[in-house]
Amino acid sequence: MAQWCRDGIAINEQDLGDLAAGDGETLCEFGGRHFRLTAETIERQPEHPAPPGAAAAVLTLRQIDRPQAEDSIYLVEFADAGLLDSSRCEASQYGHLADAMKIADRTARHYVCAELFRRAQDLIGGGRAA
């Protein structure tokens, strides 16, 4: 059974989800195919009201060892946990809310990242991969 690897070292599902904890790029391999995971935070546009610091992460998993062929894998998803409104919080509560927003953001990124890798696995191995 094929396994996801990073720098030649096998990584488990928990590690996969953690690859998008922050913005940046990571190279991975699965089933002899090479991928680039890119995570980028996009700030909300001023015309769409949102709590201060609210943003979404765009996660892209793209196969890089093939030319732009029809069968290469290119997956994009958004992780958006900016659902909390801090406008009605007292100063003492704001710290707790900020901590909760960070946890929600990390959790959303982790879930979406793991889902991208699972979908790529399904495309490569027909859902039989570990």
Side-chain angles (χ1 to χ4, degrees):
M1 292 184 139
Q3 170 106 23
W4 284 100
C5 296
R6 179 178 176 206
D7 299 327
I9 299 169
I11 52 178
N12 62 29
E13 187 175 326
Q14 177 67 35
D15 294 333
L16 285 176
D18 291 341
L19 293 177
D23 288 358
E25 293 184 349
T26 302
L27 299 178
C28 306
E29 180 183 332
F30 181 83
R33 299 181 189 203
H34 296 86
F35 293 85
R36 175 182 291 122
L37 172 70
T38 305
E40 181 181 7
T41 300
I42 307 296
E43 297 295 326
R44 295 203 191 274
Q45 298 299 316
E47 62 269 9
H48 301 300
V58 179
L59 305 181
T60 305
L61 185 63
R62 183 177 201 162
Q63 188 175 349
I64 58 173
D65 58 354
R66 302 189 80 134
Q68 294 297 334
E70 290 180 24
D71 62 344
S72 63
I73 297 172
Y74 184 69
L75 303 168
V76 179
E77 276 293 345
F78 296 87
D80 185 0
L83 304 174
L84 302 173
D85 181 7
S86 61
S87 62
R88 290 182 232 130
C89 289
E90 294 180 18
S92 63
Q93 295 174 324
Y94 187 76
H96 296 297
L97 182 58
D99 290 344
M101 289 174 73
K102 287 177 188 174
I103 291 168
D105 178 61
R106 259 194 327 266
T107 302
R109 281 177 175 251
H110 177 88
Y111 173 79
V112 170
C113 184
E115 185 63 19
L116 282 178
F117 280 102
R118 187 200 57 77
R119 288 191 351 216
Q121 265 180 221
D122 289 348
L123 290 171
I124 294 168
R128 296 179 309 255

